[in-house]
Amino acid sequence: MHLPPNPRYDYSAIVDRPAYDWPGGARLAVYLGLNVEHFAWGRGGGHMTHNWGNPNDQRNAAWRDYGLRVGFWNILSVLDEAGLGCCHLLNSTVCDHAPRIVEAIAARGEEVIGHGRTNSERQADYHEDDERRLIRETTDTIAAHLGRRPYGWMGPWISESAVTSDLLKEEGYRFTMQWPCDDQPVWLRTRAGPLLSVPYPAEINDSPAILNRGHTAEEFAQFMIDQFDMMLRLSERAPLVCAFALHTFVLGPPFRLRHLERALRHIAAHRDDSRVWFTTPGAIAGHVMSLPQGIVPGS
């Protein structure tokens, strides 16, 4: 059977790559990505509770909206207590639906990643012209409300069409977070030139772990701790990116927040560890872009 090759990158074994460091000689780059999402009322897709037969009714809509009304603020509080920041993966419709959240993000000065218009749609469902409009509308809306445009992208549901990476490059994006193929950044091929892929976790992600696979918040907190500890050991051999994906309506409720707090406390205890760089996807991308050609796969 003929299998078409991956058009975006070639195979690369991490053990065969040139060595490099993160700024200050650090070995492990750590970031937390907070998904700040808005869903359509009564139609379209969206997260559901464990009863998969539930329609997108008022109960599920209200449950998801809890994340914007309460969960977002709860998670910020435990981040602040731990002395940690985050980047915000922002649906652009949040700007109009919950402007108070945009005010808070602006006041904190934290990085914003383009996360599409709403998680009630998927990019792969659109023709190329409509997908370009989706990317452009997201970019322009965020820029209008925050005074700065995003340069990183992670689409709703991490959905990607055959031309998504091409469109992102053409619309001025510098990096994407949609290719969970590696623990290091890699360069992707696009028809408009190279686009950097910054690691984003497919598994250390509270939504699929808790809502899809049925893990408890206590288990997920242990996943976070184990991932951090093991990656710190592995980073002795190669520089790595340790990322955590959080959702406001998943870990925001108090009974789960308690376990997130425990994981953050463990990770934050390494704030003065010279091996660890607490950072953002944009800063990771900026550092990688400064490295000589041939260091990073695809360069």
Side-chain angles (χ1 to χ4, degrees):
M1 182 175 65
H2 173 70
L3 296 176
N6 186 330
R8 299 299 181 194
Y9 59 83
D10 298 324
Y11 174 76
S12 169
I14 195 169
V15 294
D16 296 335
R17 299 174 195 166
Y20 61 91
D21 289 326
W22 299 119
R27 303 297 293 167
L28 185 65
V30 179
Y31 78 84
L32 294 119
L34 181 59
N35 288 261
V36 186
E37 298 174 349
H38 180 233
F39 298 85
W41 175 262
R43 64 179 182 176
H47 290 277
M48 298 293 181
T49 50
H50 288 306
N51 184 355
W52 289 99
N54 286 350
N56 187 8
D57 57 16
Q58 95 293 338
R59 182 176 68 165
N60 275 304
W63 169 68
R64 294 190 296 259
D65 210 30
Y66 178 94
L68 300 181
R69 300 168 68 91
V70 181
F72 174 81
W73 309 100
N74 285 348
I75 290 175
L76 289 191
S77 72
V78 297
L79 284 168
D80 289 344
E81 288 170 5
L84 297 174
C86 68
C87 68
H88 302 268
L89 285 64
L90 185 67
N91 281 170
S92 63
T93 51
V94 171
C95 295
D96 294 318
H97 177 76
R100 182 69 180 85
I101 282 181
V102 179
E103 292 173 11
I105 293 173
R108 295 170 71 87
E110 291 173 327
E111 182 175 2
V112 170
I113 302 294
H115 193 29
R117 296 178 297 205
T118 169
N119 265 51
S120 291
E121 63 184 355
R122 299 173 190 259
Q123 287 176 249
D125 294 338
Y126 292 105
H127 294 295
E128 182 172 340
D129 289 345
D130 291 327
E131 186 180 4
R132 187 186 297 277
R133 289 189 194 97
L134 184 158
I135 294 169
R136 193 169 291 175
E137 182 181 332
T138 299
T139 309
D140 292 346
T141 300
I142 291 174
H145 284 80
L146 279 167
R148 62 186 191 276
R149 63 152 292 171
Y151 287 100
W153 185 269
M154 206 285 289
W157 300 99
I158 322 181
S159 174
E160 177 133 348
S161 74
V163 296
T164 297
S165 294
D166 303 310
L167 294 174
L168 290 174
K169 179 69 176 181
E170 291 165 3
E171 292 301 317
Y173 280 86
R174 298 170 183 168
F175 64 93
T176 179
M177 297 159 64
Q178 302 203 147
W179 292 79
C181 63
D182 214 293
D183 285 335
Q184 291 183 337
V186 300
W187 286 101
L188 306 180
R189 292 185 289 265
T190 82
R191 65 193 181 194
L195 177 70
L196 190 66
S197 171
V198 173
Y200 178 83
E203 292 199 84
I204 309 300
N205 183 323
D206 61 358
S207 172
I210 293 173
L211 301 181
N212 294 3
R213 298 194 294 272
H215 291 296
T216 66
E218 183 175 12
E219 289 173 325
F220 185 75
Q222 193 60 48
F223 294 166
M224 291 179 67
I225 292 169
D226 291 345
Q227 181 83 347
F228 176 84
D229 287 351
M230 194 65 193
M231 291 195 84
L232 186 56
R233 281 177 52 192
L234 293 171
S235 69
E236 296 173 4
R237 302 190 304 229
L240 302 176
V241 176
C242 179
F244 303 101
L246 316 175
H247 290 72
T248 60
F249 53 88
V250 180
L251 287 179
F255 75 101
R256 294 194 186 109
L257 187 73
R258 178 171 177 263
H259 297 289
L260 173 63
E261 183 180 50
R262 174 170 62 89
L264 293 179
R265 216 167 21 231
H266 176 87
I267 294 166
H270 293 77
R271 276 177 304 191
D272 297 326
D273 190 329
S274 62
R275 298 171 297 171
V276 182
W277 178 35
F278 289 98
T279 186
T280 66
I284 291 169
H287 182 75
V288 169
M289 290 174 185
S290 74
L291 295 174
Q293 188 171 2
I295 297 293
V296 176
S299 64

